[in-house]
Amino acid sequence: MEESKGVVKHVLLTKFKEGISENQIEELTKGYAKLVDLIEPMKSFHWGKDVSIENLHQGFTHIFESTFESMEGVAEYVAHPAHVDFANLFLSHVEKVIVFDYKPTTVRV
């Protein structure tokens, strides 16, 4: 197996609080996406909603994924004032969140 050089994926699985509207989620998602322009180590941002037919999501409905060039970049992002402010707003709308950072690995066969 080959770990990618430096690249780190920062993933959030999110279960929003009861009563949070789709419009509110859309505004939060737009705010999250804007962080790419404000925080240099954050290289990209993607998000999506659960579409699985397996029904194993345990109430988590949305995923947010950011890409960084290193763990140092993730640390800089986490401490950045724009992230801190946004995280406080975002988390006030969330019932549960799982945060997972990983380095993508390729399996050679």
Side-chain angles (χ1 to χ4, degrees):
M1 287 188 253
E2 187 176 314
E3 191 176 273
S4 73
K5 302 277 189 264
V7 172
V8 178
K9 300 288 187 172
H10 177 75
V11 178
L12 278 74
L13 292 174
T14 306
K15 178 180 181 180
F16 286 99
K17 290 180 179 176
E18 189 88 20
I20 301 298
S21 71
E22 285 299 319
N23 285 343
Q24 288 173 297
I25 293 171
E26 184 178 333
E27 289 305 309
L28 289 167
T29 302
K30 287 177 183 177
Y32 203 150
K34 288 178 184 175
L35 294 178
V36 173
D37 296 326
L38 301 174
I39 305 174
E40 194 278 326
M42 186 178 183
K43 300 303 179 189
S44 67
F45 171 78
H46 297 92
W47 73 278
K49 291 174 70 170
D50 177 61
V51 295
S52 175
I53 60 171
E54 295 177 294
N55 200 29
L56 298 174
H57 54 74
Q58 299 180 33
F60 292 91
T61 57
H62 291 72
I63 187 166
F64 302 92
E65 180 188 81
S66 304
T67 302
F68 298 85
E69 292 179 349
S70 67
M71 281 305 300
E72 292 80 12
V74 175
E76 187 178 331
Y77 161 80
V78 168
H80 194 285
H83 171 262
V84 172
D85 289 346
F86 178 76
N88 287 330
L89 172 67
F90 186 86
L91 292 174
S92 71
H93 292 81
V94 168
E95 181 178 323
K96 284 176 106 175
V97 66
I98 295 173
V99 178
F100 197 92
D101 296 333
Y102 72 99
K103 289 187 168 196
T105 303
T106 302
V107 177
R108 300 217 184 265
V109 289

